[in-house]
């Protein structure tokens, strides 16, 4: 009976530490302990939003996480053109739409192993997952270099780390 109990406890502890759950990880490039996660982003995708430095309009870049773990930029929504906004002709197969909300370029299909960016001082960088938008400056100091990438988490990491994005 004692061996069964030891085996059961060992199996539970092992299972709690296996990296079974895919999540979006946003971490400080220099200090990886500064990190937030979103499990919902794997299922629902996410957008990175910011105020464009030239035209001052909000830009929304939409990503999904592929089974391979890559991030795919598939759509961008913006109010007006400015430096760095892609032209539809730059990406074969991209579609350009004009809507009441602004301009949309779809079918970008740009795949990245990770996204590296810095928290802007003026850009008001935010991330939206589902209906939840959060501002990166609330979790990281301005000008902090960040890495967005898919990571695997153990159930224990999920239990012990708060996810402000997912609400738990």
């Amino acid at each position: 009976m004692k061996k069964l109990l030891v085996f059961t406890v060992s199996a539970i502890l092992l299972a709690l530490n296996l990296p079974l759950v895919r999540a979006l990880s946003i971490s400080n490039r220099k200090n990886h302990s500064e990190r937030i996660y979103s499990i919902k982003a794997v299922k629902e995708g996410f957008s990175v939003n910011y105020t464009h430095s030239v035209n001052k309009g909000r830009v929304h870049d939409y990503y999904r996480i592929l089974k391979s773990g890559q991030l795919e930029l598939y759509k961008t929504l913006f109010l007006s053109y400015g430096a760095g906004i892609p032209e539809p002709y730059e990406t074969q197969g991209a579609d350009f739409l004009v809507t009441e909300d602004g301009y949309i370029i779809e079918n970008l299909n740009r795949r990245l192993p990770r996204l590296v960016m810095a928290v802007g001082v003026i850009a008001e960088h935010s991330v939206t997952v589902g209906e939840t938008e959060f501002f990166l400056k609330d979790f990281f100091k301005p000008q902090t270099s960040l890495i967005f990438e898919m990571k695997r988490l153990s159930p224990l990491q999920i239990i012990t780390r708060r996810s402000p994005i997912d609400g738990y």
Side-chain angles (χ1 to χ4, degrees):
M1 187 66 151
K2 189 174 182 180
K3 286 183 182 180
L4 179 61
L5 179 62
V6 169
F7 174 77
T8 303
V9 169
S10 297
I12 290 170
L13 289 174
L14 177 64
L16 284 173
N17 285 292
L18 290 175
L20 302 171
V21 181
R22 292 168 27 112
L24 172 65
S25 166
I26 305 171
S27 63
N28 181 327
R29 191 171 181 195
K30 293 182 180 176
N31 180 359
H32 293 287
S33 66
E34 290 182 24
R35 179 184 309 258
I36 55 177
Y37 294 105
S38 173
I39 296 167
K40 284 182 184 177
V42 173
K43 297 172 188 152
E44 299 178 17
F46 64 98
S47 67
V48 175
N49 319 295
Y50 58 94
T51 301
H52 193 277
S53 62
V54 176
N55 65 35
K56 304 301 181 198
R58 288 297 277 175
V59 178
H60 307 275
D61 290 333
Y62 292 87
Y63 293 85
R64 61 180 141 239
I65 300 175
L66 304 175
K67 290 186 183 200
S68 66
Q70 290 181 305
L71 306 180
E72 181 181 55
L73 171 63
Y74 65 92
K75 176 172 76 170
T76 188
L77 166 67
F78 53 96
L79 298 177
S80 63
Y81 270 99
I85 301 286
E87 295 283 351
Y89 62 80
E90 292 175 358
T91 304
Q92 187 175 8
D95 297 317
F96 181 79
L97 306 165
V98 179
T99 70
E100 291 179 12
D101 295 328
Y103 302 102
I104 298 174
I105 303 175
E106 294 184 318
N107 299 317
L108 289 168
N109 304 322
R110 293 186 184 164
R111 295 181 177 189
L112 312 162
R114 69 187 55 82
L115 171 65
V116 178
M117 62 168 278
V119 179
V121 176
I122 300 170
E124 291 291 320
H125 284 101
S126 67
V127 174
T128 301
V129 177
E131 298 297 316
T132 305
E133 179 179 24
F134 66 95
F135 287 85
L136 291 173
K137 69 180 181 181
D138 293 339
F139 301 94
F140 304 98
K141 291 179 183 172
Q143 299 183 329
T144 300
S145 181
L146 300 178
I147 300 173
F148 289 63
E149 62 189 334
M150 194 282 293
K151 289 283 193 183
R152 292 191 175 273
L153 303 177
S154 70
L156 188 59
Q157 286 174 305
I158 295 167
I159 293 167
T160 59
R161 288 185 175 251
R162 188 175 80 82
S163 172
I165 307 167
D166 293 347
Y168 59 81

